[in-house]
Structures are given as structure tokens and as C-alpha cells.
Amino acid sequence: VYTSITLRSNDDAMMRVFFQVMESFLKNLVTPIKDDDLEIKLNKLIEIFQNLQIDTGGTPQGLWAELFLISLSKNISQSVEYWHQDENTASLYDFSKGNYHVEVKSTLSKFRKHGFSLDQSHPNKSFTVVIASFLLEKDDQGTSIDDLMKKIKASLKKSKPELLIKFDDICIKTLGNKFKDSIHRAFNEKYAEEELLFFDIEDIPNIDELYLFESGISKVKFTSDLGFASPVKKAEYKKKSQLFRNFLV
């Protein structure tokens, strides 16, 4: 008995994605394997490729910023573990460990203005949420999404290859049907690193949380100018959680 996985496409970009994902899949496959376990892994593989046909609403700029933060972190494999780890908060924050969270925001403006949802900006009282705020510049000769993915995956292959399929899954799920045409989107790495600042979500300009409970009002979104807030003191926040020690380098 054998299983055959076939790509029925002559598109060069699609073939690159196929072989990239299949490499991650095979690195994560331990043999011998039970039929039930193989079925679970194959269903995940099918889901990943199905996401390439869906408009998931993510943006290349947003994915680039998240990947760049991972690449800058103290421990890349740990960062990927934290990435959309908690199903309960994944829709609100990008990285989580227990009650501690990091949300990545980016802008092409010279002003540090970012979009927030009201739910996102008023976390559970037990949470500590840090915003990683990037100012970005497009740069055709700069670092691309593909470059960052290759760098991160090279690190995962050495440290935790079992995270490779999760990594590909999140990247593809973020961009959906825009993935194969967006992986060469590039930004200036030096400028992004120089302009990275961290803020406690409690310190940013915000809308009163009473609106969370106002009848007839839902899905409120607004823009907050973090130029009116003070960045966190990294040394203090590193004492709070391993999550912050990993990212606030």
C-alpha cells in the first residue's frame, strides 16, 4: 500500500510552493507511521493547499513584519512555537505564551499609526500585551518574504524540523491565494530594524472600553497614533516573560 501526492499544475510559482511544502511535510514524517496518523497529516497537507485558493484577507506587508520579527528574535524555533499558538487569542495577537502576548503592527507611513480592533486594544485584565511597531519602506532590492522564509526554515531544520509544516501553514494561511504572487515582496531590512519600537497596549491612545458593552455596537476598529505613547523599557519587560525576553532583544 502506498500514497501518491501529485501536483497537477505547470505553473512555475505553484511548483516552487509545492516542493517547499512537501519538503516540510516529509521532514515532519516519522516512519513507520500508523494509518490514522498519516491520514491526519495528509488532511493537514490538503488544508494547506486549499488555503492557496482562498482570499484569507492577510497582507504581504503584515506577514513580512511578523517574519522579520521572528528572524530578529533570540530563539527562532521558540518564536515559531509562540506564533498563533493559542487558538483562543490567535485572532487577536500574533505571538502568545500564557497571559503574555506580542502583536505586530507595521506602516509605510513616517507616522507610527496602526489599526486596532476594540477587542484587541482592551485585553483580558490578566494579560500583558506588547505591540511591536515597525515603520517600513518598500525596497525592490531589499529583503523579501521568500528570503525571510528561507532564513527561518534553515534555522528550523537544524533545531526543530517538526515546526516546519506549522510554519508553512501559517504563512500560506495568512496570504491565501495571494501567497505565490507575494513572496517576492521586499522591504528595507536595515530601516525596519532601526525603526522597530515596542509599546505596552495599555499605554497607546485608545477608545473607552465601555463601547465593548454598548448595545448595537460591534466590530469597532480605529487608528491609534503610537507617536503619542512612550516605548516600554525592555529590561523591565524581559523580567515578565520568556516571550518578551525572546523578542525584546
Side-chain angles (χ1 to χ4, degrees):
V1 178
Y2 66 91
T3 300
S4 175
I5 302 172
T6 306
L7 173 67
R8 296 177 178 176
S9 172
N10 294 321
D11 180 72
D12 288 343
M14 190 63 210
M15 283 192 281
R16 284 195 296 271
V17 174
F18 177 78
F19 286 118
Q20 172 184 317
V21 174
M22 286 308 304
E23 180 186 20
S24 297
F25 175 77
L26 294 173
K27 290 276 187 184
N28 195 39
L29 200 63
V30 179
T31 55
I33 186 171
K34 296 179 180 178
D35 290 347
D36 289 347
D37 293 337
L38 180 59
E39 183 178 1
I40 291 171
K41 291 182 181 296
L42 287 173
N43 285 337
K44 168 53 71 174
L45 191 64
I46 291 168
E47 180 186 321
I48 290 172
F49 285 110
Q50 286 176 335
N51 282 331
L52 286 167
Q53 313 301 319
I54 300 170
D55 183 359
T56 57
T59 66
Q61 177 184 316
L63 178 60
W64 190 95
E66 290 177 37
L67 293 176
F68 188 53
L69 185 66
I70 292 173
S71 75
L72 292 175
S73 66
K74 188 176 180 180
N75 186 315
I76 285 177
S77 62
Q78 205 168 67
S79 298
V80 175
E81 284 184 357
Y82 297 149
W83 201 20
H84 297 289
Q85 181 185 52
D86 188 337
E87 292 183 3
N88 296 319
T89 60
S91 62
L92 294 176
Y93 309 115
D94 298 312
F95 301 91
S96 300
K97 180 176 173 57
N99 289 337
Y100 300 93
H101 308 275
V102 172
E103 171 67 9
V104 182
K105 299 292 186 181
S106 64
T107 178
L108 294 172
S109 168
K110 298 296 181 184
F111 301 97
R112 207 172 288 276
K113 296 180 179 181
H114 302 300
F116 292 85
S117 70
L118 194 58
D119 288 334
Q120 188 180 56
S121 67
H122 289 288
N124 185 300
K125 297 301 182 185
S126 65
F127 289 179
T128 301
V129 180
V130 166
I131 306 301
S133 168
F134 283 104
L135 302 186
L136 300 182
E137 283 184 347
K138 290 181 180 179
D139 183 353
D140 291 340
Q141 304 304 314
T143 302
S144 68
I145 290 173
D146 193 40
D147 293 332
L148 291 172
M149 288 186 67
K150 287 176 179 176
K151 177 181 178 180
I152 293 167
K153 291 181 75 168
S155 177
L156 292 177
K157 286 174 187 177
K158 296 177 183 177
S159 56
K160 286 204 170 181
E162 63 270 24
L163 290 174
L164 285 166
I165 200 70
K166 173 189 177 180
F167 178 76
D168 281 340
D169 181 30
I170 294 175
C171 290
I172 290 174
K173 191 181 294 182
T174 300
L175 295 183
N177 58 10
K178 298 187 290 290
F179 180 80
K180 65 187 180 70
D181 296 324
S182 300
I183 58 174
H184 298 297
R185 194 73 59 86
F187 298 85
N188 188 302
E189 181 176 328
K190 184 174 184 294
Y191 179 76
E193 185 171 2
E194 289 174 347
E195 295 296 335
L196 169 61
L197 291 177
F198 296 93
F199 299 84
D200 192 310
I201 204 164
E202 297 293 337
D203 297 332
I204 69 170
N206 207 346
I207 294 177
D208 196 302
E209 67 178 329
L210 291 176
Y211 287 103
L212 282 170
F213 313 104
E214 188 75 21
S215 299
I217 297 178
S218 62
K219 297 182 180 179
V220 178
K221 295 185 178 181
F222 65 98
T223 299
S224 179
D225 188 344
L226 275 58
F228 288 90
S230 297
V232 302
K233 294 179 180 178
K234 292 183 181 181
E236 291 182 8
Y237 278 72
K238 286 180 182 180
K239 296 175 184 177
K240 296 176 182 284
S241 169
Q242 177 61 39
L243 179 74
F244 298 151
R245 286 193 289 277
N246 194 45
F247 286 116
L248 277 65
V249 294

